[in-house]
Amino acid sequence: MSEVDAIQNGDGSPIVINEVVGFIGAGNMAKAIAFSLLKKGILTPENVLASAKTQTNIKDWEALQCETTLNNEDLLQKADIIIWAVKPQMFPGVINSLKKVVEGGSVTCRTVMHVSVMAGITLTNFSAQIQSVTGEEGSSRCFRTMPNIGLEVNCGVTVFSGPADTTDAERNLLNNIFKPIGLFYEVPEGQINAYGGLFGSGIGFMFPIIEALSDGAVKVGIPRNISLEIAAQVMKGAGELILQKKKHPGAMKDAVCSPGGTTIAGIAALENGGVRSAVIKAVEAATLRGEELGKAAK
């Protein structure tokens, strides 16, 4: 695994993506990526195109003055980079619809970069499906990524895998999309479902923990609104300490557990409740589910 280094412009100016970036699927993950980049000025509204099944799903994009469409085929003709953000089970249906349009001769496919953010779908499957639409050997470059929703607040994680002949220019372009809004790593594709279980689903595992901290605080008399804010800050603080100090979490735990103190009493209660085992099983279950989704989308 290697972390892709941030790309700096030679004159020190901010990174700007000049390519037209299209999103097939305009839901939460697509918004997390596009809206964060728009806020940073890395993307501009005139270089963003989003497609969805209904007008309701694209109203937030229109509010930011992005171009929108209800026809996925528009992206094949206009976008330089297409980010596939539909649900994995919907992917085959979208592909079949595009095939019919292309075969009908009303759409000419351009050479573009196709980037999947769909859980479970292998790069081989994704590339084959895209190839079945574009119809020309090597006409489109395909990459598989797995991001999490933390991108929405510039605190996400994304991993990616590409073909064996991935170029530095392609890595740099992916880097410019994902690195400004979180951690970004290139990893072996066979590990992507596991990474998805760790951070793609893992961020969701944190919300019940925050809620549980808040519930415990309410039980001992702290108001709900205060307890939720403090619980979230506690989670944020723990993460920042690990990231900045680069210490093992066990060492960090030991540092805050005084002999016979309050924290070690709470740690013992967590161990008695099987929290550690439950979280391990949750990552494993999410990983296996990612593999199942990939099989279902074939």
Side-chain angles (χ1 to χ4, degrees), residues 10 29 34 40 46 48 73 138 141 151 211 233 244 263 267:
M29 186 57 70
K40 285 179 171 287
E46 57 267 26
V48 177
E73 57 265 27
R141 300 286 287 169
L151 298 179
E211 183 183 28
Q233 183 74 359
Q244 292 186 26
T263 306
I267 292 290

Side-chain angles (χ1 to χ4, degrees), residues 126-138:
F126 180 59
S127 299
Q129 296 285 4
I130 297 300
Q131 186 68 44
S132 73
V133 173
T134 60
E136 294 181 17
E137 186 68 30

Side-chain angles (χ1 to χ4, degrees), residues 12-28:
S13 61
I15 294 169
V16 175
I17 298 171
N18 294 313
E19 290 82 359
V20 175
V21 182
F23 293 82
I24 294 183
N28 291 335

Side-chain angles (χ1 to χ4, degrees), residues 192-250:
I192 282 190
N193 286 332
Y195 279 103
L198 169 61
F199 66 79
S201 299
I203 193 169
F205 305 158
M206 299 302 103
F207 299 130
I209 293 175
I210 291 173
E211 183 183 28
L213 282 171
S214 174
D215 286 346
V218 170
K219 186 176 181 181
V220 295
I222 298 175
R224 173 67 71 184
N225 62 326
I226 297 176
S227 70
L228 273 174
E229 187 170 39
I230 291 175
Q233 183 74 359
V234 165
M235 180 74 76
K236 181 179 179 180
E240 282 296 325
L241 283 167
I242 294 292
L243 289 171
Q244 292 186 26
K245 290 183 175 291
K246 308 294 184 184
K247 291 184 177 180
H248 190 279

